[in-house]
Amino acid sequence: MAVLFTEKDLYAQHFDPKKFLEIYFTFHPEKEDINALIGFALKNLHKAFHSGGIKGDTLIDIESGPTIYQFLSACECFREIIATGYMDGLREELQQWLRKEPGVFNWGSVGKYVCELEGDREKWIQKEEKVRKAIKRVLKCDVTQPNPLAPLSLPPADCVLSTLFLEVACPDLPTYRSALKNISSLVKPGGHLVLFVALEANFYMVGLQRFSCLFLDQKSVEEAVKGAGFDIEWLEGTKVIFPPALSDVKGECVLVARKR
């Protein structure tokens, strides 16, 4: 089922970050499908940064949105994290969390899950503070540009992370491939790309608003990553079953690749 591509201005007008977080990032006994999706991401981020030994001075997160789950393992391995986002409203949602403003999303259950993976479930408050200290900047980003962080020109990073974003930012496969090449310009030779992708999805819902996804299979993702100048070191996939009214996503994969 093809879905008309969701343009940037529609996101700016209709995307509700608080509702998005409530739907997709709340651990709940009755939400086994969502729990499985979050758990898969958190386990593999832990694997990449703790067991996989990906570390360095700087990590750039491509389109952080309003989320911080992707930083909970990475903050242990990088001196500096640069969060990014295209929309002003989503960057502001993240800034509000950084400033501990009232009414921000409670990441406690997600933080406890990651801390349990690390061996101490009760250190989640310290973990959140470590994330806040690690995020040095929140910058505007546009992956359709050769330098996604223009007009800034930053030194290449040790690692670039992108979680469940490119498939909603790109209307077609050529644009997806181009976006990965643009992202590659931010990574130093020998540095890493950590990429999470929703597979075989056309749409997802936030409340009553439908947003498009680029339909991707695993082979297309692998070819695009290799075409952007990376060698894949490991890849893992899982099936995903969501309520049809929420999304038609069929799977998710995570890969770690090293820039040639």
Side-chain angles (χ1 to χ4, degrees):
M1 176 182 59
V3 176
L4 189 65
F5 177 66
T6 307
E7 299 288 351
K8 296 171 182 175
D9 58 346
L10 193 146
Y11 263 98
Q13 295 172 28
H14 298 291
F15 189 87
D16 185 335
K18 288 183 168 56
K19 189 167 291 185
F20 171 74
L21 293 172
E22 179 184 340
I23 294 171
Y24 292 100
F25 293 97
T26 302
F27 274 116
H28 194 282
E30 297 178 1
K31 297 171 67 174
E32 294 183 6
D33 41 17
I34 303 295
N35 294 349
L37 182 70
I38 303 171
F40 177 80
L42 297 176
K43 287 176 184 176
N44 281 285
L45 287 166
H46 174 77
K47 177 181 176 181
F49 294 115
H50 282 262
S51 306
I54 298 176
K55 60 182 66 175
D57 289 326
T58 305
L59 177 144
I60 299 175
D61 183 45
I62 299 298
E63 190 56 60
S64 308
T67 66
I68 61 100
Y69 74 98
Q70 66 271 36
F71 304 130
L72 293 169
S73 292
C75 72
E76 304 289 345
C77 305
F78 292 89
R79 180 182 57 81
E80 175 184 42
I81 292 174
I82 299 173
T84 73
Y86 180 81
M87 287 187 292
D88 297 342
L90 297 191
R91 295 199 309 277
E92 177 57 24
E93 190 76 21
L94 177 58
Q95 294 275 25
Q96 288 174 9
W97 182 84
L98 292 172
R99 296 191 296 260
K100 301 183 184 180
E101 293 188 7
V104 296
F105 185 72
N106 184 353
W107 289 96
S109 60
V110 175
K112 289 177 181 178
Y113 185 95
V114 173
C115 290
E116 189 169 355
L117 292 175
E118 296 176 0
D120 186 355
R121 179 180 174 84
E122 299 309 313
K123 69 172 186 178
W124 67 275
I125 294 177
Q126 295 96 310
K127 170 72 76 175
E128 288 195 349
E129 289 308 305
K130 194 159 191 174
V131 170
R132 288 187 171 96
K133 289 179 182 178
I135 298 175
K136 305 299 185 184
R137 288 185 279 184
V138 181
L139 303 177
K140 186 156 187 174
C141 176
D142 184 349
V143 296
T144 66
Q145 301 302 311
N147 172 14
L149 301 180
L152 296 178
S153 182
L154 301 184
D158 299 285
C159 180
V160 165
L161 172 65
S162 179
T163 57
L164 304 174
F165 166 67
L166 292 180
E167 55 271 39
V168 303
C170 300
D172 51 44
L173 192 54
T175 307
Y176 184 83
R177 291 170 177 156
S178 178
L180 277 169
K181 290 178 181 177
N182 295 339
I183 289 171
S184 176
S185 71
L186 303 176
V187 187
K188 65 174 60 173
H192 283 92
L193 170 71
V194 179
L195 183 67
F196 279 78
V197 186
L199 298 175
E200 299 181 34
N202 291 286
F203 75 94
Y204 70 102
M205 302 292 293
V206 179
L208 299 177
Q209 184 66 51
R210 177 177 294 196
F211 296 94
S212 63
C213 284
L214 174 61
F215 188 95
L216 292 167
D217 57 30
Q218 185 172 300
K219 182 179 179 182
S220 297
V221 175
E222 292 181 51
E223 290 175 348
V225 168
K226 292 174 183 176
F230 294 93
D231 293 319
I232 297 173
E233 295 188 335
W234 61 264
L235 181 149
E236 186 171 337
T238 187
K239 292 182 178 180
V240 176
I241 301 175
F242 268 22
L246 192 60
S247 176
D248 64 347
V249 62
K250 299 297 189 297
E252 183 182 13
C253 73
V254 55
L255 65 84
V256 170
R258 185 185 292 270
K259 187 174 179 180
R260 298 184 204 113

